[in-house]
Amino acid sequence: MNRRLTWILASLSLLLGLAIAGCASERPSVRPPQLTMDQISELYIKQALALGEHDPNLVDAYYGPKDWQAQAKTRKRTLIEIRNVLVRLYQDIDSAPTDTSIPPELWNLRRRHLRNQIAALEARTRMLEGWKPSFDDESLALYDISAPFYGQEDFKPMLASLDRLLPRGNGTLTERYNRYLERFTVPPNRVEEVMRIAIGTARERTLQYFRLPEGERFELALVKDKPWSAYNWYQGDFVSRIEINTDQPLTVARALELAAHEGYPGHHVFNVLIEDQLVRGRGWK
């Protein structure tokens, strides 16, 4: 009797399972709604702000809606939550509807750039979770490029050229090179003056090639105890704060390099043009 009852119950369970499976196959699969490029962009920014709560060095410039930043600080999201959203955004970006009012070349540039940004943020999330990539893998994941390989033989022509150009003297080529640079070191009490002249000159040259919006400007600050020689902190509203680390020696050539790299036509101009032409001009957050 027990064996017969067991057989009956097993048969009923099988029939019930088949019935449920049949009903499920008849129901249309529920697909998430298709995201627009603007929605993907907004979600990307929010994931970046959320990840910034785990990695304080991640976000160095933000001038978007203040409530998005406040939400990231109020609701701490886990790394896996952030990464799950990023994975979906990466999958969705190729199917986002095309805006036919935008020139195709510009639209494709936006799509490709945003795809790379999402991939880089997802890679950084995995690194915070414990992933330890090789140098080349990290470079590819974060910057979409890996450094080419050069052997010592590749540098011999350049070293020979330096050897001919530098003043003769005792010591290695490196020591002779450093002694030469020291002749052009800016005294500490003149660093700010030299940097203002260098940045101002770079700006004059840049304005020959770029139209910059009215009101764009920079603030210069001398700082110490930093791991870099200079940094640009974009503030929004066409303003940058350019910091110079006075712990590191500054030569005349280095002053010109930093003026161009951090200011004109470097990070400052790049961010100003993005805010002017894309954020304000096209409404792209």
Side-chain angles (χ1 to χ4, degrees), residues 71 73 194:
Q71 289 168 9
K73 294 182 180 300
V194 169

Side-chain angles (χ1 to χ4, degrees), residues 1-262:
M1 188 69 176
N2 289 339
R3 187 175 302 171
R4 179 178 175 81
L5 180 60
T6 301
W7 182 86
I8 293 172
L9 290 175
S11 300
L12 289 172
S13 297
L14 177 61
L15 290 172
L16 182 60
L18 290 172
I20 293 174
C23 291
S25 65
E26 292 174 5
R27 287 201 306 266
S29 59
V30 178
R31 300 177 63 86
Q34 192 175 36
L35 297 176
T36 66
M37 194 73 82
D38 285 342
Q39 290 172 323
I40 292 173
S41 300
E42 178 177 331
L43 286 169
Y44 158 73
I45 295 171
K46 289 180 176 178
Q47 304 324 299
L49 293 172
L51 193 60
E53 295 301 304
H54 295 270
D55 180 2
N57 294 317
L58 184 76
V59 180
D60 66 357
Y62 179 72
Y63 51 96
K66 293 192 182 336
D67 59 325
W68 292 4
Q69 198 169 39
Q71 289 168 9
K73 294 182 180 300
T74 302
R75 193 207 161 202
K76 306 286 185 180
R77 306 188 63 210
T78 65
L79 292 174
I80 189 64
E81 286 179 308
I82 297 168
R83 189 153 64 84
N84 283 341
V85 175
L86 291 170
V87 169
R88 186 205 162 175
L89 294 181
Y90 189 84
Q91 294 171 344
D92 284 358
I93 194 164
D94 284 328
S95 61
T98 300
D99 186 342
T100 55
S101 68
I102 306 297
E105 182 182 2
L106 181 59
W107 186 256
N108 290 331
L109 280 172
R110 185 190 190 194
R111 188 193 304 274
R112 188 174 74 219
H113 177 75
L114 188 54
R115 182 194 296 113
N116 287 344
Q117 292 292 101
I118 292 169
L121 200 63
E122 192 272 337
R124 182 61 186 151
T125 307
R126 282 188 284 134
M127 291 173 67
L128 293 175
E129 289 177 319
W131 178 46
K132 299 185 183 301
S134 67
F135 180 86
D136 282 347
D137 286 344
E138 180 178 346
S139 176
L140 278 170
L142 298 182
Y143 303 111
D144 194 34
I145 195 171
S146 60
F149 175 78
Y150 292 106
Q152 291 185 355
E153 292 295 320
D154 297 304
F155 295 100
K156 283 188 175 180
M158 287 176 277
L159 294 175
S161 179
L162 269 178
D163 185 42
R164 291 191 302 269
L165 291 169
L166 287 171
R168 290 296 166 187
N170 298 324
T172 65
L173 183 61
T174 300
E175 291 168 341
R176 288 165 54 204
Y177 178 72
N178 287 334
R179 279 200 304 269
Y180 179 78
L181 287 183
E182 287 170 2
R183 294 165 50 183
F184 304 96
T185 300
V186 179
N189 64 333
R190 299 199 63 189
V191 168
E192 182 173 358
E193 176 189 3
V194 169
M195 282 308 308
R196 288 193 182 279
I197 293 172
I199 297 174
T201 302
R203 183 177 185 274
E204 290 175 6
R205 298 288 186 91
T206 298
L207 289 174
Q208 296 176 20
Y209 301 94
F210 292 95
R211 182 197 64 79
L212 299 182
E214 185 178 351
E216 66 79 22
R217 61 185 176 85
F218 70 92
E219 301 167 353
L220 183 66
L222 305 183
V223 298
K224 292 180 176 292
D225 301 320
K226 302 296 182 182
W228 32 256
S229 57
Y231 211 94
N232 177 298
W233 305 93
Y234 190 65
Q235 310 293 299
D237 293 326
F238 310 139
V239 178
S240 284
R241 175 183 169 88
I242 299 176
E243 294 183 347
I244 306 297
N245 183 6
T246 57
D247 287 337
Q248 298 189 18
L250 182 73
T251 65
V252 172
R254 183 64 172 156
L256 291 170
E257 180 185 349
L258 294 178
H261 182 93
E262 305 296 345

